[in-house]
């Protein structure tokens, strides 16, 4: 039975395999079968074959082997035993090399080959020895049925016998954002004798943890990086708030709350919602989420024999889609939140806002939780001069914000498709509703919200997106467990961890309601530490660590952690401080700020690993205290983020401000992203020739200038040049006319 998997167990989907219990198994992807190196010491009996027969003629042997390879009957027999054309060819190349290069062969093989070469045997007699060799280099051929059984992911409801032993009551609280659905579930949670709250974010778990304890209901907190027990002796409280990957499927509760259930279809983390929904041992399961999930959750619960009661809620405060775009940052108002989908746009827009003498708060995903809360508090404070928020879709969950108007700076967002490839596409209806719903919250001073876009061309696209209903959820995520991978490794002891999970997913069978979650991040980490000697369980746990593989410093730290761990040397506080260069000073530019965020992630990695290997990561308290200090330093940097941008390269900011107030660049306009985008780029190429190419490309690369803003600057510069040329021409004409007048006057005299 699968047990709790740590957070970040991998992320973009392997293609979903729809099958039923009666369907025939799918053929394995043999491209994943990596041949094993053989031990080739037969010196003990090698001379026996030569003594009984005679030394083999290599040239004659090569002819015999090639005749065997070309026989269709041999290929067909091999295919019946799992060797397709690809594997047959690989196995033959290996077998031929083995036979020709070995100084001494096993006696039985030597005798058979000698007989064939001398005409006393048939070439077909090679087949059993060839197959013996093939199964040695491809050990999975001999245990394919066992591997198929281990990777059979059909009927996952049966993985949780404790949950199946009780008759659970499932209540679905369905509604849009700000409809009170989670509030009603939490009220039942607080009234119960025991309960567990499972949320998608640390911030949400913290919020319920504080709300519960403030209401006089003792509640513990469990996240991947933190354990907080209200009992001083460390005894568990009756209630616990946790991130969903950390929930226990063996502890009995009266009430369980599973928040944001629509994330069950998430390509990376969906398995955690599936596991919680099928495995929690609670008398009542309160599920909160979008109405689009109702039918699917009903269908899923049908497989467990449990009925679903549905409570539907309407939004408490309305939001209106405006008929006009903002078009310029000069038109911003108090309570505005500009939503971007890239950190570069955050930097660019926040700088332009403060160039107008306005203060703005900044929130994006890689900021520490404390910094996000600090920026939210600054924006929400009616006595603080900061009235504008610039944020990514990180505001979609987990933060209480007092927003009057949501302004989409762009409708294009990078996404990972089902093949694990990154692509740019317009946001979905679900994403647009989640973000738009942050305007006009019931608990904020703005009782009615407004939604619009920064750019005029995007507004009809946004209206079109929001006019559609959310696509119904049709599948739930699953993920291989450590136990399943260990069983695979027992059968395939020489395979790498990355190769094991590849073969597992290739052979796995799921029914039509499920898909296997993406394992690309898992494999990335597995390949990174493959050369480090670790036992399989430790290697698996390291590879499920939730790190951002795009940050080189974090990846380097991960590698050093694994190497130190493999030496059986504890990772002490002093060792970590030496690695990250602590103490660190306040950031002087954006590059410094990004590095501090990476160091914060390294501390998170340490804390995450410390709860899985307590003896090897002993200084949790010191690291946590240092991380709080670092959070304060990052907060200080984010409060002065425009100064950091200016410090990174003051020339561009100064030149921008002296040019007046340019309107914000259309970075990622949904309408222009289709047909007009490339045409516009070609049309602007001429004016771009006059810009300093090296400076411009460096500014775009460093994120201080978006490509669209650069093109706008090119247009303005070109316009200024034309204006200057026009003015100069007018002056020249006037000067020429004055000269002519002077000449005429002289003539009159």
């Amino acid at each position: 039975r699968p047990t709790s998997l740590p957070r970040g167990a991998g992320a973009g989907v392997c293609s979903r395999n729809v099958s039923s219990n009666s369907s025939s198994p799918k053929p394995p992807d043999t491209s994943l079968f990596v041949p094993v190196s053989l031990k080739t010491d037969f010196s003990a009996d090698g001379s026996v074959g030569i003594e009984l027969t005679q030394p083999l003629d290599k040239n004659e042997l090569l002819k015999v082997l090639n005749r065997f390879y070309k026989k269709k009957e041999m290929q067909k027999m091999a295919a019946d035993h799992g060797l397709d054309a690809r594997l047959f060819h690989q196995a033959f190349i290996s077998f031929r090399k083995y036979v020709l290069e070995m100084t001494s062969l096993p006696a039985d093989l030597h005798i058979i080959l000698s007989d064939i070469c001398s005409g006393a045997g048939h070439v077909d007699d090679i087949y059993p020895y060839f197959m013996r060799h093939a199964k040695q280099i491809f050990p999975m051929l001999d245990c394919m049925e066992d591997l198929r059984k281990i990777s059979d992911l059909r009927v996952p409801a049966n993985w949780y016998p404790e949950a199946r032993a009780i008759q659970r009551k499932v209540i679905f609280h369905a509604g849009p954002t700000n409809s009170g659905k989670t509030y009603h579930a939490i009220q039942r949670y607080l009234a119960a004798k025991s309960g567990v709250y499972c949320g998608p974010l640390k911030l949400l778990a913290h919020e319920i943890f504080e709300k519960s304890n403030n209401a006089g209901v003792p509640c513990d907190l469990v996240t991947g990086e933190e354990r907080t027990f209200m009992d001083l002796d460390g005894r568990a409280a009756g209630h616990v708030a946790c991130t969903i990957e950390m929930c226990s499927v063996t502890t009995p509760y009266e009430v369980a709350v599973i928040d944001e259930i629509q994330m069950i279809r998430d390509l990376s983390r969906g398995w955690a919602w599936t596991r919680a929904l099928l495995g929690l041992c609670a008398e009542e399961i309160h599920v909160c989420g979008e109405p689009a999930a109702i039918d699917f959750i009903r269908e899923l619960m049908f497989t467990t024999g449990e009925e679903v009661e549905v409570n539907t809620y309407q939004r408490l405060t309305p939001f209106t889609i405006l008929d006009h775009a903002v078009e310029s940052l000069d038109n911003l108002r108090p309570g505005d939140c500009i939503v971007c989908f890239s950190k570069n746009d955050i930097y660019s827009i926040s700088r332009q806002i403060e160039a107008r003498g306005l203060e703005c708060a900044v929130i994006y995903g890689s900021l520490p939780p404390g910094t996000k809360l600090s920026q939210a508090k600054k924006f929400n404070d009616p006595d603080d001069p900061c009235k504008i928020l610039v944020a990514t879709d990180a505001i979609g969950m987990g933060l209480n914000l007092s927003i009057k108007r949501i302004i989409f700076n762009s409708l294009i967002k990078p996404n990972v498709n089902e093949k694990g490839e990154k692509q740019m596409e317009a946001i979905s209806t679900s994403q647009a509703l989640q973000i738009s719903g942050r305007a006009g919250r019931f608990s904020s001073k703005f009782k009615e919200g407004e939604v619009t876009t920064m750019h005029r061309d995007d507004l009809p696209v946004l209206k079109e997106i929001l006019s559609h209903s959310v696509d119904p959820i049709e599948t739930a995520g699953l993920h291989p467990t450590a136990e399943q991978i260990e069983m695979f490794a027992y059968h395939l002891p020489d395979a790498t961890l990355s190769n094991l999970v590849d073969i597992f997913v290739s052979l796995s069978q799921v029914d039509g309601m499920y898909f296997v979650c993406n394992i690309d991040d898992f494999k990335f980490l597995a390949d990174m530490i493959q050369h480090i000697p670790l036992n399989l369980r430790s290697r698996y746990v390291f590879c499920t660590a939730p790190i951002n593989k795009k940050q080189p410093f974090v990846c380097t730290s991960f590698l050093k952690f694994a190497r130190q761990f493999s030496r059986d040397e504890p990772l002490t506080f002093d060792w970590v401080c030496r690695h990250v260069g602590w103490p660190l000073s306040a950031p002087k530019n954006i590059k410094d700020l990004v590095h501090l965020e990476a160091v914060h992630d390294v501390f998170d990695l340490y804390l995450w690993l410390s709860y899985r290997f307590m003896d090897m990561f002993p200084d949790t308290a010191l690291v946590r205290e240092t991380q709080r200090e670092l959070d304060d330093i990052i907060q200080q940097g984010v409060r002065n983020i425009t100064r950091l941008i200016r410090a990174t390269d003051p020339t561009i900011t100064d030149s921008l401000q002296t040019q007046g107030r340019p309107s914000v660049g259309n970075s990622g306009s949904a309408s222009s992203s289709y047909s007009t985008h490339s045409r516009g780029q070609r049309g602007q190429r001429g004016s771009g020739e006059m810009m300093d190419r090296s400076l411009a490309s460096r500014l775009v690369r460093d994120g201080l200038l978006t490509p669209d803003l650069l093109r706008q600057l090119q247009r303005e510069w070109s316009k200024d040049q034309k204006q200057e040329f026009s003015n100069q021409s007018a002056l020249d004409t006037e000067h020429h006319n004055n000269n002519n007048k002077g000449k005429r006057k002289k003539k009159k005299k």
Side-chain angles (χ1 to χ4, degrees):
R1 186 191 75 251
T3 58
S4 173
L5 280 174
R7 214 176 134 207
V13 149
C14 309
S15 55
R16 183 163 65 84
N17 310 302
V18 178
S19 63
S20 66
N21 290 335
S22 60
S23 67
S24 58
K26 60 178 178 176
D29 181 358
T30 56
S31 66
L32 302 173
F33 291 5
V34 179
V36 172
S37 300
L38 294 183
K39 294 176 183 175
T40 53
D41 182 16
F42 291 105
S43 55
D45 69 341
S47 59
V48 175
I50 297 175
E51 290 171 6
L52 292 175
T53 57
Q54 58 187 357
L56 296 168
D57 181 339
K58 301 289 185 182
N59 290 329
E60 190 63 30
L61 205 52
L62 181 59
K63 293 176 185 176
V64 167
L65 292 172
N66 286 340
R67 285 210 315 273
F68 169 80
Y69 177 71
K70 291 174 182 176
K71 291 199 70 170
K72 297 294 182 186
E73 297 90 333
M74 296 299 101
Q75 294 179 23
K76 186 177 184 308
M77 285 174 64
D80 292 340
H81 288 86
L83 280 180
D84 63 10
R86 179 204 303 272
L87 294 187
F88 183 81
H89 177 74
Q90 281 185 279
F92 175 75
I93 296 297
S94 175
F95 181 66
R96 185 176 64 186
K97 181 179 180 184
Y98 167 74
V99 168
L100 295 177
E101 294 183 4
M102 283 292 293
T103 53
S104 58
L105 292 170
D108 56 350
L109 177 58
H110 185 105
I111 293 168
I112 285 294
L113 291 173
S114 177
D115 287 349
I116 297 171
C117 289
S118 62
H122 194 278
V123 71
D124 292 3
D125 296 340
I126 295 174
Y127 178 76
Y129 301 95
F130 166 75
M131 283 304 299
R132 181 173 71 185
H133 180 88
K135 288 179 179 180
Q136 286 176 321
I137 66 168
F138 295 118
M140 59 285 294
L141 294 174
D142 239 0
C143 55
M144 193 59 71
E145 285 310 306
D146 290 329
L147 296 180
R148 287 190 193 281
K149 286 175 185 174
I150 296 166
S151 58
D152 191 337
L153 302 181
R154 293 172 294 184
V155 202
N158 293 347
W159 300 349
Y160 308 99
E162 289 97 333
R164 299 293 76 78
I166 59 176
Q167 188 63 31
R168 306 181 307 170
K169 183 180 181 182
V170 182
I171 300 101
F172 194 129
H173 300 270
T177 57
N178 198 28
S179 61
K181 57 184 183 297
T182 307
Y183 169 82
H184 285 90
I186 294 300
Q187 292 307 111
R188 179 67 189 97
Y189 163 86
L190 294 174
K193 294 191 292 291
S194 62
V196 58
Y197 167 83
C198 309
L201 301 173
K202 284 185 280 188
L203 280 174
L204 284 169
H206 268 275
E207 183 184 326
I208 301 303
F209 165 72
E210 290 176 356
K211 186 177 291 185
S212 186
N213 286 301
N214 290 340
V217 178
C219 177
D220 296 336
L221 175 70
V222 178
T223 70
E225 300 79 18
E226 189 173 357
R227 310 283 188 281
T228 303
F229 296 100
M230 297 312 294
D231 186 278
L232 297 177
D233 297 326
R235 284 191 295 269
H239 289 68
V240 59
C242 63
T243 43
I244 193 157
E245 286 88 350
M246 301 308 300
C247 70
S248 167
V249 291
T250 55
T251 307
Y253 300 102
E254 183 183 346
V255 168
V257 177
I258 303 174
D259 209 356
E260 306 293 352
I261 190 62
Q262 67 275 5
M263 290 189 71
I264 200 168
R265 68 172 164 194
D266 187 84
L267 302 185
S268 306
R269 297 174 65 199
W271 62 267
W273 275 263
T274 304
R275 175 178 164 273
L277 184 61
L278 296 177
L280 281 169
C281 297
E283 297 167 33
E284 292 180 24
I285 307 282
H286 290 259
V287 175
C288 308
E290 294 177 357
I294 293 174
D295 289 343
F296 179 73
I297 299 304
R298 275 200 173 115
E299 189 181 354
L300 207 59
M301 291 297 94
F302 181 77
T303 66
T304 66
E306 294 161 335
E307 293 184 4
V308 179
E309 175 188 318
V310 178
N311 296 331
T312 307
Y313 305 87
Q314 300 302 315
R315 187 175 164 86
L316 298 171
T317 56
F319 73 79
T320 307
I321 307 171
L322 300 179
D323 289 326
H324 55 273
V326 174
E327 299 200 61
S328 168
L329 295 178
D330 292 325
N331 299 327
L332 293 180
R333 303 194 299 253
D336 278 350
C337 171
I338 304 172
V339 176
C340 310
F341 295 114
S342 86
K343 203 189 287 187
N344 289 348
D345 286 350
I346 294 269
Y347 295 153
S348 171
I349 289 170
S350 60
R351 173 177 45 74
Q352 293 179 64
I353 288 172
E354 296 216 2
R356 289 160 165 74
L358 301 172
E359 280 193 45
C360 66
V362 171
I363 296 173
Y364 50 85
S366 57
L367 286 178
T371 305
K372 287 178 188 167
L373 290 170
S374 169
Q375 289 290 295
K377 184 178 178 184
K378 176 183 171 75
F379 173 69
N380 288 340
D381 186 353
D383 299 323
D384 195 292
C386 169
K387 302 299 180 192
I388 308 294
L389 175 63
V390 184
T392 63
D393 53 340
I395 63 162
M397 295 179 196
L399 287 169
N400 293 313
L401 296 162
S402 189
I403 298 170
K404 170 65 175 174
R405 183 170 62 165
I406 288 284
I407 303 165
F408 285 90
N409 181 60
S410 163
L411 296 174
I412 301 296
K413 181 184 177 184
N415 276 322
V416 176
N417 65 17
E418 291 194 353
K419 295 178 182 176
E421 301 163 338
K422 191 173 179 181
Q423 58 187 26
M424 305 296 288
E425 60 185 18
I427 58 173
S428 67
T429 300
S430 177
Q431 291 167 331
L433 285 169
Q434 186 82 35
I435 297 166
S436 300
R438 308 306 291 177
R441 305 285 289 179
F442 181 71
S443 56
S444 80
K445 65 180 179 181
F446 300 115
K447 299 306 177 190
E448 293 189 12
E450 297 172 345
V451 180
T452 187
T453 59
M454 178 61 70
H455 310 292
R456 189 185 304 172
D457 292 345
D458 280 346
L459 191 53
V461 181
L462 177 63
K463 288 182 176 181
E464 172 73 12
I465 291 171
L466 289 173
S467 70
H468 295 151
S469 56
V470 178
D471 291 337
I473 290 172
E474 296 176 340
T475 52
L478 296 172
H479 193 278
T481 66
E483 289 82 3
Q484 289 167 324
I485 297 302
E486 279 181 336
M487 286 191 281
F488 249 57
Y490 172 78
H491 290 290
L492 307 174
D494 297 305
T496 66
L497 179 55
S498 179
N499 191 223
L500 280 176
V501 294
D502 266 339
I503 296 172
F504 184 98
V505 173
S506 165
L507 292 176
S508 65
Q509 285 184 276
V510 294
D511 68 29
M513 297 175 70
Y514 299 97
F515 64 88
V516 179
C517 281
N518 181 295
I519 53 169
D520 288 352
D521 286 357
F522 182 97
K523 285 173 54 188
F524 175 83
L525 298 182
D527 289 335
M528 194 192 300
I529 61 171
Q530 181 55 42
H531 65 287
I532 297 175
L534 293 168
N535 65 56
L536 185 71
R537 178 58 70 112
S538 297
R539 189 181 299 278
Y540 181 94
V541 172
F542 263 85
C543 294
T544 55
I547 75 169
N548 183 352
K549 68 181 182 183
K550 295 176 186 173
Q551 292 188 333
F553 184 75
V554 180
C555 291
T556 303
S557 304
F558 174 79
L559 196 59
K560 289 182 178 179
F561 281 18
R563 193 174 288 126
Q564 182 81 347
F565 181 92
S566 73
R567 296 180 187 130
D568 208 24
E569 297 175 11
L571 288 84
T572 63
F573 176 69
D574 290 339
W575 184 91
V576 174
C577 286
R578 283 197 304 275
H579 167 64
V580 301
W582 185 264
L584 294 161
S585 55
K588 297 182 178 62
N589 52 45
I590 288 295
K591 188 178 178 182
D592 289 350
L593 179 62
V594 170
H595 179 68
L596 291 181
E597 291 168 8
V599 173
H600 193 280
D601 284 352
V602 171
F603 287 152
D604 257 352
L605 175 63
Y606 183 98
L607 295 171
W608 190 91
L609 288 166
S610 74
Y611 287 109
R612 286 135 184 98
F613 308 105
M614 293 184 183
D615 294 343
M616 297 298 291
F617 296 82
D619 295 331
T620 306
L622 286 169
V623 169
R624 193 180 301 286
E625 185 181 331
T626 306
Q627 192 184 41
R628 289 194 195 101
E629 290 180 42
L630 177 58
D631 200 335
D632 291 339
I633 295 170
I634 293 173
Q635 285 183 41
Q636 180 185 339
V638 173
R639 279 197 295 270
N640 300 307
I641 196 163
T642 50
R643 181 177 58 77
L644 300 185
I645 296 167
R646 199 177 304 119
T648 303
D649 195 330
T651 55
I652 187 62
T653 308
D654 294 342
S655 65
L656 275 172
Q657 291 181 7
T658 54
Q659 283 186 26
R661 298 180 174 180
S663 62
V664 65
N666 186 358
S667 60
S669 166
S671 54
S672 66
S673 68
Y674 302 121
S675 58
T676 62
H677 187 67
S678 56
R679 188 173 65 246
Q681 283 183 325
R682 286 195 295 272
Q684 291 154 9
R685 199 168 288 165
S687 59
E689 300 295 335
M690 294 180 273
M691 293 289 284
D692 179 347
R693 286 178 178 273
S694 60
L695 173 62
S697 61
R698 185 157 56 85
L699 291 170
V700 172
R701 186 192 65 223
D702 293 343
L704 301 178
L705 202 59
T706 64
D708 285 311
L709 186 56
L710 174 61
R711 287 193 289 273
Q712 184 179 334
L713 286 171
Q714 291 168 349
R715 288 196 298 272
E716 291 184 3
W717 193 85
S718 177
K719 185 179 177 182
D720 289 343
Q721 289 289 98
K722 288 176 183 175
Q723 186 63 44
E724 189 177 327
F725 177 80
S726 175
N727 292 343
Q728 187 62 47
S729 298
L731 285 171
D732 290 346
T733 303
E734 187 178 346
H735 180 70
H736 177 73
N737 290 342
N738 287 341
N739 283 346
N740 286 345
K741 285 178 185 175
K743 287 175 183 176
R744 282 196 296 271
K745 285 178 182 176
K746 284 177 183 176
K747 285 178 182 177
K748 284 179 183 177
K749 287 177 182 177

